[in-house]
Amino acid sequence: LAYNAGGDDDLLLEELMSAMELAKEYLLMKRNFMLQFASKGSLPFLTQRPRGHPEYPPLVDLEGQSMIIGFSGANEMAQYHTGSALHESDDAVRFGIRTLVEMERIQREFSDHHGLQFAIARTPAESTASRFAVLDLVHFSKEATGVVKGDLTDWHARLRANGRTGVPVYYTNGFMVEHGANVPLDKKITIESMPFRLLSGGNIVNVFLGEHAPDPDALFS
């Protein structure tokens, strides 16, 4: 989204709306497929009920499932768009939060229009974060080279020889501070917890302690 916007705030939000519209259409398609399969008895585990009690609800309420739109690479989006990563600038954090606020506004429109529950979530998507990085190196080589994380050495040759999984690059997942950032733990947690009150579909903070058996007193202090 940031590469297409080229630093234009309004254009980035237009790109965001377009991407979320596409995600919405796929989610509605998936929901319809699931309900069709269930109605034909093709999802027996999800639709099982206690033996002898057909009046009980099924194991999974397919009708009431939330449709979740996740995101990856907020750090690199902010870095490309504002010139600073999340841990480097309050402006980068503010812009990242503004984008998430817009995503929540759009999902509420989706929910109201369709009478269904949509949600925005910081999903676990480590393999997606790598896949997106490789695809952007291919399609936005000039732009992506400056912000993609990992080892970009001879990435063309690695891609040809070993495919996508052979290129050790990635985007920082969700709304996370990049893994190699030299920042205090409390600052990392402060930045990454900012979207918690915004996102309707769940949040995660990863804390890398680095020790197999850390000292409890050291952790407490």
Side-chain angles (χ1 to χ4, degrees):
L1 301 181
Y3 302 152
N4 283 329
D8 184 318
D9 287 13
D10 293 334
L11 183 54
L12 190 144
L13 295 180
E14 289 177 15
E15 291 283 337
L16 176 65
M17 172 62 89
S18 177
M20 289 186 63
E21 286 279 359
L22 185 62
K24 178 195 71 174
E25 293 304 318
Y26 275 111
L27 286 168
L28 291 173
M29 188 185 304
K30 176 184 175 182
R31 181 178 189 274
N32 288 334
F33 283 154
M34 294 285 284
L35 292 176
Q36 288 178 30
F37 293 154
S39 69
K40 296 175 181 178
S42 298
L43 299 174
F45 183 82
L46 297 181
T47 56
Q48 64 181 299
R49 302 171 190 266
R51 190 187 303 273
H53 291 280
E55 74 279 8
Y56 281 30
L59 178 65
V60 176
D61 178 13
L62 294 175
E63 290 276 0
Q65 289 289 293
S66 295
M67 288 174 283
I68 296 175
I69 299 176
F71 62 95
S72 182
N75 177 70
E76 285 72 32
M77 177 202 70
Q79 184 179 356
Y80 185 82
H81 195 80
T82 70
S84 300
L86 293 177
H87 69 285
E88 295 174 331
S89 164
D90 291 342
D91 288 340
V93 174
R94 280 192 289 268
F95 183 76
I97 293 295
R98 178 188 173 191
T99 306
L100 297 185
V101 169
E102 184 68 8
M103 292 180 72
E104 278 291 339
R105 184 192 67 78
I106 295 170
Q107 75 82 6
R108 285 194 296 272
E109 286 186 359
F110 291 170
S111 297
D112 292 343
H113 179 75
H114 293 280
L116 300 169
Q117 183 59 55
F118 288 82
I120 309 299
R122 187 290 204 198
T123 54
E126 284 74 15
S127 59
T128 302
S130 175
R131 177 174 182 269
F132 282 176
V134 174
L135 287 172
D136 281 354
L137 284 174
V138 172
H139 297 291
F140 298 91
S141 183
K142 179 182 176 182
E143 296 86 350
T145 300
V147 295
V148 163
K149 305 299 181 287
D151 183 3
L152 277 71
T153 306
D154 296 328
W155 70 265
H156 289 95
R158 292 181 178 184
L159 183 61
R160 287 193 299 270
N162 304 306
R164 177 183 59 80
T165 57
V167 185
V169 296
Y170 60 93
Y171 283 127
T172 309
N173 195 25
F175 197 88
M176 292 174 60
V177 171
E178 63 181 85
H179 303 305
N182 185 20
V183 296
L185 181 59
D186 62 328
K187 181 176 181 180
K188 169 185 165 67
I189 293 174
T190 298
I191 293 172
E192 294 183 7
S193 63
M194 286 182 180
F196 276 26
R197 292 183 296 275
L198 294 173
L199 300 182
S200 51
N203 295 277
I204 301 171
V205 166
N206 294 318
V207 176
F208 301 97
L209 299 176
E211 296 180 49
H212 176 66
D215 176 63
D217 293 332
L219 287 176
F220 181 78
S221 64

